[in-house]
């Protein structure tokens, strides 16, 4: 079971670093599929709690790789991270009190909306432009979703920075990876205080992610911006449909 969980972390780390996600879009549904195969049941809230440690691991490993390549906009990250940290604390508290079906539905709706926005801008030429005034509140919302759903906030942060702040997709992904590591610390502490964090499973997920994320940062620089957007969108749609099927079918 532990080897299977490490493998989940490895896949989440690669995809998380390539697409600027915390890995939660892989970790949360994958744990709910894999663990019952070994006779261990897990709720979506417990999976989200474990995913917070995975988000932290992606942030640490991915940031190290992207800093070496000069893709992270550190000033932008420091300016926007307070919004995601506060939002993450709010979302983590909501995650402790909301029913699992509501969390899964919000998760799926957010993923589908993000995929729609990215696909709509698939052919748009990447160029710098003035950031929108909606960026700070949108990043706060990303933090809430990070805490509530264990997704690192990248599913919101990347489209926000790319579509609203005018940051090219590759740099938006790198900066999102940097921000999510800062946000995940507070989120993990809240879930741990709520008694929902399984440290053994979290450590196994983090071990896989630390290896996968470093490999993902190398692969990310070899993929075109358009293909990154397409891959990101398809992953979001698949995960959203999977969650809706599990809780509503």
């Amino acid at each position: 079971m532990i080897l299977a969980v490490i493998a989940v972390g490895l896949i989440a780390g690669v995809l998380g670093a390539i697409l600027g996600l915390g890995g939660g879009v892989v970790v949360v549904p994958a744990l709910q599929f894999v663990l019952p195969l070994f006779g261990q049941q897990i709720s979506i809230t417990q999976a989200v709690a474990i995913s917070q440690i995975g988000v932290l691991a992606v942030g640490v490993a991915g940031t190290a790789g992207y800093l070496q390549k000069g893709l992270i906009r550190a000033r932008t990250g420091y300016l926007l991270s307070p919004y995601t940290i506060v939002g993450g604390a709010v979302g983590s508290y909501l995650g402790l009190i909301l029913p699992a079906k509501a969390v899964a539905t919000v998760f799926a709706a957010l993923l589908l909306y993000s995929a729609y926005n990215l696909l709509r801008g698939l052919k748009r030429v990447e160029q710098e432009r003035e950031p929108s005034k909606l960026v700070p509140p949108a990043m706060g919302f990303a933090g809430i979703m990070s805490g509530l759903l264990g997704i690192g906030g990248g599913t919101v942060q990347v489209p926000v920075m790319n579509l609203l702040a005018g940051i090219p997709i590759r740099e938006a992904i790198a900066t999102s990876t940097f921000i999510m590591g800062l946000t995940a610390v507070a989120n993990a502490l809240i879930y741990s205080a709520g008694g929902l964090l399984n440290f053994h499973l979290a450590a196994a997920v983090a071990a896989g992610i630390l290896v996968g994320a470093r490999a993902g940062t190398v692969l990310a620089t070899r993929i075109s911006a358009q293909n990154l957007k397409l891959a990101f969108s398809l992953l979001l749609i698949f995960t959203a449909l999977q969650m809706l099927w599990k809780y509503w079918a």
Side-chain angles (χ1 to χ4, degrees), residues 17 57-67 72 174 177-178 209-210 213-214 217:
V58 169
V60 171
T63 295
Y66 283 128
L67 279 173
I72 292 177
T177 303
F178 170 66
I209 283 177
L210 287 171
R214 292 307 299 268
T217 57

Side-chain angles (χ1 to χ4, degrees), residues 1 185 188 248:
M1 183 182 73
V185 176
W248 287 97

Side-chain angles (χ1 to χ4, degrees), residues 125-147:
V125 178
E126 294 280 334
Q127 59 182 9
E128 293 282 342
R129 60 186 184 280
E130 284 296 313
S132 166
K133 294 180 180 179
L134 295 175
V135 171
M139 293 298 285
F141 177 71
I144 292 175
M145 293 299 101
S146 170

Side-chain angles (χ1 to χ4, degrees), residues 63 67 71-86 131 135-136 139-140 142 152 157 160-161 165 167 171-184:
T63 295
L67 279 173
L71 290 173
I72 292 177
R73 298 198 176 189
R75 183 174 180 274
T76 299
Y78 285 126
L79 289 174
L80 295 179
S81 60
Y83 299 102
T84 65
I85 291 172
V86 173
V135 171
M139 293 298 285
Q157 288 171 188
V160 165
M161 286 189 281
I167 299 175
E171 294 180 27
I173 287 172
T175 306
S176 171
T177 303
F178 170 66
I179 293 173
M180 72 176 62
L182 301 175
T183 308

Side-chain angles (χ1 to χ4, degrees), residues 186-204:
N187 298 352
L189 289 174
I190 292 174
Y191 277 102
S192 178
L196 291 170
L197 184 57
N198 184 315
F199 288 94
H200 292 94
L201 294 178

Side-chain angles (χ1 to χ4, degrees), residues 1 12 15 28 39 43 64 79 84-85 96 122 145 155 165 169 180 184 195 200 245:
M1 183 182 73
L15 293 175
V28 173
S43 70
L79 289 174
T84 65
I85 291 172
L96 296 176
L122 197 60
M145 293 299 101
T155 50
I169 187 70
M180 72 176 62
H200 292 94
W245 175 263

